[in-house]
Amino acid sequence: MAEEVDQLLQLLQSTSNVARGQAEAQLEAWCQNPNFLTVLMSRTVQGSTVASRQLAATILSWRLPRAWPTLSDADAGRLQAGLLECFLSCGELPVLKALGEACNALCQSIAVRHNTIWQDLLSAIGQSLGGDALHRRVALEVLASLVRSMGARLQSHYREIGKTLAASVQDVDPNVRIAALAVVGVAASSWCSCPEDLPHWHGAADATLEVGWSALSSSDQDAPKVLVAALRALSRLAPALKSEALTSASLQLACRVLNCSSSPSVESCQIQALQLLKALVRSEPMLLAGQQGRAAVGAAFSAAKDAAPSVDDLDEVSNTALSARECLRVMAKAHPTQAVASVLEAAKAAAASADALDRAAAVHAVAFALSGAREVPAGWAVPLANALRDSAVWVRQAACEGAVLLAEELKSSQSVTGGFEQILGRLVELLPREPQLELLEKAAAAASAILQELTTDEAASVLSTAAPAVFQAMTKVSHALAGAATSSDAEDQRTTALDGGAALAALARTLTALASCTADHFAPWAPEAAKSLVTLFRGCKAGGPGTAPSSPPHNYAGEPAGPSRDVSLSSAVPQRSDLLKVEHFS
């Protein structure tokens, strides 16, 4: 039967759907016989190719749990012994990892059926930890998966695992260190709940810190992976141990990673350092009150800069910058007074930078910090209002996006209202003169969001300047669409139609929000509003300027568009019933 099983494994890897389907049906039939599992197990060692041996082990991890309840005690014992023998004797990484998954799956099945732990597997893991680097690595990976799946059932068997892991974390092989750090992370979060458990983990904590600092200064190609694993382990271990010394040392390591531009694989390490900062701040908010806390906020502030933004897509942001902004939000939520003050101070200095990306990052940082705090100090709106007059598109974009975010997050107060009125005044200035159609859409969306947070009297104070600004902006966009329609460049036509249509839709929503918010005060402006909208509707109906080609490569968010997407100007503008729901328009 061995030859037939080898042929089956080859067919299961076939590119032919028919051959693969027949092989799967044959596999299903053979799996009903317990003897087939024994033969399949032998193929993990004697199979014709590495891929076949790995596939045999993978099939075991799927099939053993399903067959286990139907096996006799003799068959079960034979399969357990055979699987452990294969695991201990295998010397190929992909096959050994698949066998480890099979062991984990079988251990769970035994626990469900007999309410006990597979002791022989734990012994095999202990034996492998004293073997070669390959078996040490995979044994730790299996142990991590067992901790995830078995939880507290394993704790009594590994009461002093922290001491064992301290040695593994400092292993000479980097892959073993990474696997050991993974166990530290998953075990520490669930096995450090009792005071009597904590002393066993101090050695692992010290070793993790040492490995992290060593990896930061190392030029080894595996150093970034080791550093990421160490930072991830500390994000679980430090909050669990609640050690002031460990928390302080972990904070210093995270800040050093964020401030060290020469660190290996900067992005992945910095993202994990930001995750560590968030975990530390959530567990100990008062950490931000001291000098170290201010340094942590400053490090996150610096990481919020998108060093290489996309020129073609304003919405494309680096993962590091996104993580840093979210970290600032968490910091401000944990300790609003200290975090917001530190961010505003750093933003004031960055606003004078000659680098537009510094100025844009400062505005984003302010917006996210304030959204986390939800309550604002005096003068909070100044950075955003000033940014709306900046000459760089990235800075104006940051202010528009920040205004939308804060309109959704801030708690209502007199200070909030005053800041919104200040920002709205600058947005009204920007609308008729913004040259970038994509950014004009964002500015209009920001104005709409703020208008929804104001009372009638508050909005009426800017009505005399806001309404003409919206009309001028709509006229400007219409002219841009008309000009693009005569262009010989098809791509230019397509891009202008998409961006212009989205801008017109956003401006129409702003007009609606303005009319709704100001109520009877809007009556003098209703005729001109109706005229602008009717002109817009006529252009849509006629398929005039602004009608785009029928199969664009991207939608407004920069994502691939489906084959049936309609991107004509009429599809971008809100429906007539949405625009004319205000009674003054009739």
Side-chain angles (χ1 to χ4, degrees):
M1 194 175 182
E3 287 187 14
E4 296 178 7
V5 174
D6 283 342
Q7 291 176 2
L8 177 70
L9 293 172
Q10 291 293 336
L11 289 173
L12 288 170
Q13 302 169 64
S14 171
T15 57
S16 168
N17 291 334
V18 174
R20 197 167 57 251
Q22 293 173 348
E24 289 170 355
Q26 183 65 65
L27 174 65
E28 187 67 33
W30 282 354
C31 281
Q32 306 308 313
N33 185 346
N35 291 327
F36 171 69
L37 296 176
T38 303
V39 177
L40 190 62
M41 198 175 295
S42 71
R43 306 329 294 161
T44 64
V45 178
Q46 302 170 2
S48 57
T49 64
V50 173
S52 293
R53 294 192 287 274
Q54 181 183 5
L55 179 57
T58 301
I59 294 173
L60 281 174
S61 67
W62 298 342
R63 294 293 175 170
L64 274 174
R66 293 174 56 180
W68 192 254
T70 65
L71 297 177
S72 65
D73 290 343
D75 287 338
R78 185 172 66 254
L79 285 172
Q80 285 177 264
L83 185 58
L84 287 181
E85 183 181 351
C86 292
F87 178 74
L88 291 171
S89 62
C90 180
E92 298 168 313
L93 178 61
V95 183
L96 187 56
K97 289 170 73 73
L99 285 169
E101 293 172 1
C103 289
N104 180 32
L106 184 53
C107 187
Q108 293 180 58
S109 299
I110 293 172
V112 169
R113 184 178 180 185
H114 301 292
N115 193 28
T116 187
I117 296 294
W118 185 9
Q119 296 286 349
D120 291 341
L121 175 60
L122 304 186
S123 300
I125 291 174
Q127 181 179 340
S128 296
L129 288 176
D132 57 53
L134 177 62
H135 281 84
R136 296 198 303 273
R137 170 187 176 178
V138 177
L140 288 165
E141 291 175 352
V142 173
L143 181 57
S145 64
L146 285 173
V147 173
R148 293 188 188 97
S149 60
M150 307 298 291
R153 287 174 179 266
L154 284 179
Q155 187 174 7
S156 60
H157 299 275
Y158 291 102
R159 180 68 65 183
E160 298 185 1
I161 190 175
K163 298 178 180 178
T164 303
L165 291 175
S168 297
V169 164
Q170 296 176 311
D171 196 282
V172 295
D173 187 277
N175 290 314
V176 177
R177 294 200 295 273
I178 293 170
L181 290 166
V183 181
V184 171
V186 297
S189 58
S190 59
W191 291 2
C192 291
S193 55
C194 300
E196 57 268 22
D197 294 328
L198 301 184
H200 300 304
W201 288 92
H202 291 312
D206 292 341
T208 301
L209 272 173
E210 183 179 344
V211 166
W213 282 106
S214 176
L216 179 60
S217 58
S218 173
S219 59
D220 188 82
Q221 63 177 0
D222 293 311
K225 297 178 183 178
V226 175
L227 179 56
V228 167
L231 293 169
R232 185 181 294 114
L234 288 171
S235 67
R236 305 278 188 88
L237 193 57
L241 291 182
K242 300 185 184 302
S243 164
E244 183 177 348
L246 177 61
T247 299
S248 177
S250 299
L251 184 69
Q252 291 179 24
L253 176 60
C255 291
R256 181 65 64 87
V257 172
L258 292 174
N259 293 327
C260 184
S261 59
S262 61
S263 63
S265 189
V266 172
E267 182 175 87
S268 60
C269 296
Q270 288 191 338
I271 290 174
Q272 196 56 56
L274 291 163
Q275 296 294 330
L276 173 56
L277 283 182
K278 288 195 293 185
L280 295 174
V281 169
R282 285 190 177 114
S283 66
E284 185 52 59
M286 291 308 297
L287 192 65
L288 295 176
Q291 181 62 37
Q292 271 195 328
R294 289 190 288 274
V297 175
F301 182 93
S302 299
K305 177 181 178 180
D306 193 350
S310 171
V311 177
D312 299 323
D313 186 358
L314 292 178
D315 295 322
E316 185 176 326
V317 185
S318 72
N319 292 328
T320 301
L322 289 174
S323 298
R325 295 174 192 176
E326 186 58 33
C327 184
L328 289 171
R329 190 207 298 266
V330 171
M331 288 177 165
K333 184 177 181 180
H335 199 305
T337 305
Q338 182 62 56
V340 171
S342 298
V343 168
L344 288 176
E345 182 180 353
K348 185 176 180 180
S353 172
D355 187 346
L357 298 180
D358 284 336
R359 304 196 299 274
V363 176
H364 281 301
V366 169
F368 273 79
L370 291 174
S371 71
R374 301 197 67 195
E375 296 180 352
V376 297
W380 67 272
V382 172
L384 282 81
N386 290 342
L388 290 170
R389 286 181 173 174
D390 199 283
S391 59
V393 63
W394 309 113
V395 185
R396 301 196 301 276
Q397 173 220 1
C400 293
E401 292 178 348
V404 174
L405 175 65
L406 294 175
E408 297 172 350
E409 298 292 339
L410 293 183
K411 294 179 180 178
S412 180
S413 69
Q414 186 174 357
S415 180
V416 168
T417 299
F420 279 154
E421 290 175 339
Q422 184 180 4
I423 295 172
L424 182 60
R426 294 291 174 85
L427 285 169
V428 168
E429 293 178 8
L430 179 65
L431 289 177
R433 61 181 177 82
E434 175 53 54
Q436 298 279 347
L437 292 177
E438 189 177 355
L439 185 52
L440 178 58
E441 177 193 1
K442 293 180 180 290
S448 300
I450 291 177
L451 284 167
Q452 293 172 21
E453 302 301 316
L454 301 180
T455 65
T456 297
D457 291 339
E458 291 163 352
S461 64
V462 298
L463 178 59
S464 60
T465 54
V470 175
F471 300 147
Q472 292 174 37
M474 294 177 74
T475 301
K476 179 180 177 180
V477 176
S478 297
H479 290 164
L481 292 171
T486 62
S487 173
S488 59
D489 188 338
E491 185 62 28
D492 179 63
Q493 283 188 355
R494 188 193 310 273
T495 302
T496 304
L498 288 171
D499 293 344
L504 281 176
L507 288 166
R509 286 190 289 271
T510 302
L511 193 57
T512 302
L514 186 61
S516 299
C517 186
T518 55
D520 292 340
H521 298 285
F522 192 77
W525 302 99
E528 188 167 355
K531 179 181 177 181
S532 298
L533 293 172
V534 168
T535 301
L536 180 59
F537 283 130
R538 284 174 177 167
C540 297
K541 182 177 180 181
T547 300
S550 59
S551 294
H554 296 88
N555 60 24
Y556 299 147
E559 300 167 349
S564 61
R565 178 173 171 80
D566 176 13
V567 293
S568 66
L569 179 58
S570 58
S571 70
V573 178
Q575 295 298 313
R576 188 186 302 256
S577 59
D578 294 331
L579 294 175
L580 301 183
K581 62 175 64 175
V582 182
E583 60 181 358
H584 300 298
F585 284 7
S586 60

